[in-house]
Amino acid sequence: MKKRLGIISIFIILFITFIVIWSFSYQTGLEEGYVPIENTVIHTNIPSESGVFKRSEFALEYANMPVDANHQRTLDTYYDNRAYHGAPPSIPHPVKNERSLGGNTCLQCHQNGGFVKRFDAYAPVTPHPEMVNCRQCHVAQNSSSLFKSANLTKVQAPKVGVNNALLGTPPMIPHQIQMRENCLSCHAGPAAPKEIRVTHPERINCRQCHVPTDRVVSEITPFSRTNSIDNE
């Protein structure tokens, strides 16, 4: 009798266990399927890639902006204002305070550009307004400091219209990208040199079609010496 009761008890326990497991599985199957969300790693932006979008909010304004034919800059004036191809532009106008920083002075005109009646010209837009210590790289064009004249030959700047990989392809980028990631600051708007002003500023992802070229003349050694400098 006891043996029979033991067998029945084991059967009842197994049956109850089966019912519990089956019920749990059935209820789990009724739940909606989902993909667990893992903690994503935040990647920092690559400046040379993200910088191209800095002035994208002005793209349509640039596209619809009329061309002021009487105040257009040219590539000749663009390069004349640089010691060599790739150098920071010099300051072609008087600077009131030699110790001033960009936020209160330079950026008043050069952050967003615009026509400056005093100089009868459009102010070029800086591609890196976040770097407010402008005078660290940009120097006055006329100086009476200790610079000594030398007989040096400038590296020739790249020509317009000959910088395509293949016939009919978009021109490549003939300069370094660092600190010049913001394409629209130089290639769009009334202050852009007319030879390199783009016709489609609304296509803000410039580097989707335009790629850097390895044929750039070295900007590390911008001069070739023709005569040695006598510093004695």
Side-chain angles (χ1 to χ4, degrees):
M1 184 68 178
K2 291 182 179 180
K3 185 177 180 179
R4 186 178 296 175
L5 290 175
I7 294 173
I8 295 174
S9 299
I10 292 174
F11 176 78
I12 293 174
I13 293 173
L14 291 175
F15 181 75
I16 294 173
T17 303
F18 170 77
I19 294 299
V20 171
I21 294 175
W22 179 86
S23 298
F24 177 78
S25 300
Y26 178 76
Q27 293 298 326
T28 302
L30 294 178
E31 295 179 0
E32 295 183 1
Y34 71 99
V35 177
I37 300 176
E38 300 179 355
N39 293 328
T40 56
V41 179
I42 299 176
H43 298 282
T44 56
N45 291 327
I46 303 174
S48 62
E49 298 292 342
S50 62
V52 69
F53 300 104
K54 282 184 179 179
R55 298 190 64 80
S56 59
E57 67 269 25
F58 302 109
L60 290 179
E61 294 182 23
Y62 286 144
N64 298 322
M65 191 176 294
V67 175
D68 186 350
N70 296 324
H71 297 92
Q72 293 190 93
R73 282 204 304 166
T74 65
L75 272 183
D76 289 337
T77 58
Y78 177 88
Y79 286 124
D80 284 344
N81 199 33
R82 286 159 171 77
Y84 55 87
H85 168 53
S90 57
I91 304 173
H93 56 75
V95 179
K96 184 176 182 180
N97 186 352
E98 290 293 325
R99 297 182 180 273
S100 60
L101 293 179
N104 296 323
T105 53
C106 309
L107 293 181
Q108 296 296 316
C109 294
H110 292 286
Q111 183 166 11
N112 291 312
F115 188 77
V116 182
K117 186 176 181 180
R118 176 184 176 186
F119 301 115
D120 193 34
Y122 287 95
V125 179
T126 174
H128 41 261
E130 70 281 0
M131 299 180 180
V132 296
N133 191 7
C134 311
R135 299 300 304 278
Q136 184 177 6
C137 299
H138 302 274
V139 298
Q141 198 172 72
N142 299 318
S143 174
S144 58
S145 60
L146 299 178
F147 287 107
K148 186 173 182 179
S149 60
N151 186 12
L152 299 173
T153 302
K154 284 187 176 182
V155 170
Q156 294 299 316
K159 302 295 183 182
V160 177
V162 295
N163 194 34
N164 304 69
L166 298 172
L167 184 64
T169 58
M172 294 183 288
I173 303 173
H175 57 72
Q176 68 179 18
I177 302 298
Q178 184 180 9
M179 295 180 67
R180 287 185 280 184
E181 303 92 352
N182 186 356
C183 307
L184 293 181
S185 62
C186 293
H187 291 280
K194 60 182 181 180
E195 294 91 342
I196 60 172
R197 187 188 297 121
V198 296
T199 58
H200 47 272
E202 69 281 0
R203 302 178 183 177
I204 57 177
N205 193 4
C206 310
R207 296 193 60 190
Q208 184 177 6
C209 300
H210 302 275
V211 297
T213 174
D214 57 359
R215 295 183 298 174
V216 181
V217 178
S218 174
E219 295 179 359
I220 298 176
T221 56
F223 294 116
S224 59
R225 292 178 177 269
T226 56
N227 290 314
S228 60
I229 306 175
D230 183 10
N231 291 322
E232 298 297 330

